[in-house]
Amino acid sequence: MSSWRSLHVGVIGGGIGGMSVAIALRRAGHTVTIYEKSDFAGEVGASVSCAANGTRWLHEWNVDIAKGDPVVLKKLINRDWKTGEPVSVYDLDDYEKRWGYVYNMFHRQYMHAMLKDSALGEGEGVPATLKVNHRCRDIDLKTSTVVFENGEVITHDLIVGADGIGSAVRGIIGITPEKRASDQSCLHTNVKTEDAIRLGLVNYSEDSALEYWGGQEGKWDKIVLSPCNGGELLSYYCFFPREKGDYSTQAWGAEDRPVEELLAPYPELDRQVFEHLKIGAEIKPWRLWVHDPYPYIQSGNTCLLGDAAHPMMPHQSQGACMAIEDAAALGLLFDKRYFSGDIAQALAVYEEIRLPRATRVQEAAAKAAYNINERIGFSVNKDVPTYQVEDAKKVLTIEEMNAYDMHKDIEEKLAAKRGTTYTEKFLCGLPVGLELPNGITIGAVGA
């Protein structure tokens, strides 16, 4: 049997996913080079959620979380579209006690800078190298050789495609997405808390909550407010039917849209939040495309990660966490405890543990787009008068996300691959006998 060896890893894409996998793999003892297509590695957008299933890996990797200036969420609040009165509230007060980690809300650029420092700076393992202006043109999957548009040709032992929803690596390994523009459009805007206070408006930052207007009515209209930068910035995602404004072909970097365009779809919206939107700055369209799950996410010594592997609608706030979990899985599968030197075996297990879990979240996010009761947290608030879900036994719950033990999932799958016995009382990373609030018991017959 071959034994552990240090690999030269090429990561295509320098976003949150790319930086995360660089951290995980450098800590596992590998030499990592990140290739970013633009002239700097950064992120666009605003707030990004990091629930306990993502935060746990930031702690595991010794990331300096304070650098990301997060807001620790205390509640999820769903408000009536017209009155703003709370309709469904999911309390997170005991969240850290239950799951060991807090629910962080970051500004995307701050989170990226935090991860970049961890990937490239001091810490366990050899710091990763970042090369900008390296756009991937092709990969020879047999020799793991990457050809870049700038003419450079570089061979690696392992290649990770972390190049986002428009992934080049995905096409190179033979996946052509089945995708369609969502029936929902979205404009994003930022409101400074100090500006809202100065105008005598409600100070939503005091709630330390992810707040939603609408979503109970089975319509595409929904406002999502997430506080970031320690509460100084209020990040608003404003959803409405695509026929009221189609931004499916517009990139985030396009010029700002006028505030009148942001307000137009919402004549009946709660005036408190409407007044906030009136002072919104940096109004940007966010393209929403629905992708059907991919049949595989690895080929040869190349694999996909994050949005390149499983793009999802934003309505479960799990996109970043799924990328972080992907990174964590690769970090574990290639560490001294689990890696036998067989890259193909490790990537087969990576696909086996990541694709079902990410697909489950992907499907749940699509349902939550028009029904907030399908969203993790609200999905168990059954005493809400308007509570209705497609299938009560299929709702996604906090338990399923946060009780998951990736080590156990990897050990179970590796045992099957290597023909050894697995005796732990876990099934796909969840404890056998765990009763989920949706009525499912892990390991029960027919579950």
Side-chain angles (χ1 to χ4, degrees), residues 385-401:
T386 51
Y387 184 86
Q388 196 172 2
V389 294
E390 191 177 295
D391 183 338
K393 293 212 162 193
K394 288 186 179 172
V395 297
L396 196 57
T397 66
I398 280 182
E399 288 76 8
E400 190 176 337
M401 300 312 298

Side-chain angles (χ1 to χ4, degrees), residues 34-41 130-134 150:
I34 304 161
Y35 300 98
E36 169 54 42
K37 66 185 178 186
S38 62
D39 57 3
F40 80 106
L130 172 65
K131 293 192 172 187
V132 296
N133 295 312
H134 277 65
N150 63 11

